[in-house]
Amino acid sequence: MANFDFYFTRLSYESGDWDVDIRMPSNVLNSLVEYTTLRVDPTERIVALSDPKMLEAPFCYFAGHKLVQFTPSERRNLEKYVRGGGFVFVDDCNHDIDGLFAKSFEAEMVKIFGASALKKIPNTHPLYSCFFKFDGPPTTGGELNGWGDDLVHEYLKAIEFGGRIRLLYSNKDYGCEWDYDFRNKRFLAVDNTRFAVNIIQYALGA
């Protein structure tokens, strides 16, 4: 097998709908090839959260719209991965801070990591400057009419261990925003997948 610096792992899970935004991974992987020197595996890998193989991944993507209710093995693997230095990007496809995915996922985080583990991160966090420069989390197209309060929420949340983000949590639905054929990026004034590059570079220790 070829040696890769990075491969994209999507986590499947028994509850909810994990198979969303199917063009997003190839779009993000194309951006890594375009902007970085990483040796990138061009094929998305889908691994069950309950499978110990997920513990080997450099980066995991977890998303959906519906109820999140982990099985015991899913809960154990997620905790082991996050506490052990892995990186999970969790994206709420409802882009709704009070939706079913948000409430159920956040409740799971309380069960696993405690009530105070998931916290807002400041917009000065190194995540926003480790490759491209951002003033905070970029807004998304569905955000203004999808949050229920017509406000753009200028923060992301995260769980940190050892001074590093190990689980990054977004209600902004970046997966949907990046869910298009990468060849269509030429029509954008600014490539909106650049923030994905920051997330992955940060995950890899940048």
Side-chain angles (χ1 to χ4, degrees), residues 89-165:
F89 174 43
V90 178
D91 196 35
D92 175 4
C93 295
N94 287 327
H95 42 82
D96 183 353
I97 57 172
D98 291 317
L100 185 57
F101 181 96
K103 286 183 175 179
S104 59
F105 178 80
E106 290 177 31
E108 286 286 349
M109 294 303 96
V110 171
K111 288 179 187 175
I112 298 170
F113 299 106
S116 62
L118 190 62
K119 297 178 179 177
K120 295 178 184 179
I121 58 172
N123 292 345
T124 54
H125 194 282
L127 172 70
Y128 300 116
S129 59
C130 65
F131 198 84
F132 294 107
K133 304 294 184 184
F134 297 92
D135 296 329
T139 57
T140 57
E143 191 172 351
L144 279 172
N145 59 13
W147 290 68
D149 55 10
D150 292 325
L151 296 174
V152 174
H153 293 253
E154 296 291 352
Y155 60 84
L156 296 180
K157 291 183 177 182
I159 294 174
E160 296 187 347
F161 287 105
R164 298 280 299 178
I165 291 173

Side-chain angles (χ1 to χ4, degrees), residues 2-146:
N3 291 320
F4 297 110
D5 299 315
F6 179 81
Y7 57 91
F8 188 106
T9 299
R10 182 194 295 268
L11 296 175
S12 65
Y13 53 102
E14 292 189 25
S15 62
D17 58 335
W18 55 267
D19 51 343
V20 293
D21 307 325
I22 58 173
R23 295 169 296 183
M24 183 273 278
S26 62
N27 194 6
V28 169
L29 290 167
N30 172 262
S31 296
L32 292 175
V33 171
E34 183 176 349
Y35 296 121
T36 78
T37 59
L38 293 172
R39 295 169 296 174
V40 176
D41 183 351
T43 304
E44 175 190 14
R45 304 184 188 189
I46 299 173
V47 180
L49 178 54
S50 59
D51 188 337
K53 287 183 181 177
M54 64 81 57
L55 298 170
E56 302 168 7
F59 167 96
C60 290
Y61 177 65
F62 183 102
H65 302 83
K66 300 178 182 178
L67 179 75
V68 178
Q69 197 164 41
F70 290 140
T71 66
S73 58
E74 289 175 339
R75 199 171 286 125
R76 281 194 302 270
N77 275 357
L78 183 64
E79 180 174 13
K80 186 174 182 180
Y81 182 72
V82 170
R83 289 187 184 275
F87 187 99
V88 187
F89 174 43
V90 178
D91 196 35
D92 175 4
C93 295
N94 287 327
H95 42 82
D96 183 353
I97 57 172
D98 291 317
L100 185 57
F101 181 96
K103 286 183 175 179
S104 59
F105 178 80
E106 290 177 31
E108 286 286 349
M109 294 303 96
V110 171
K111 288 179 187 175
I112 298 170
F113 299 106
S116 62
L118 190 62
K119 297 178 179 177
K120 295 178 184 179
I121 58 172
N123 292 345
T124 54
H125 194 282
L127 172 70
Y128 300 116
S129 59
C130 65
F131 198 84
F132 294 107
K133 304 294 184 184
F134 297 92
D135 296 329
T139 57
T140 57
E143 191 172 351
L144 279 172
N145 59 13

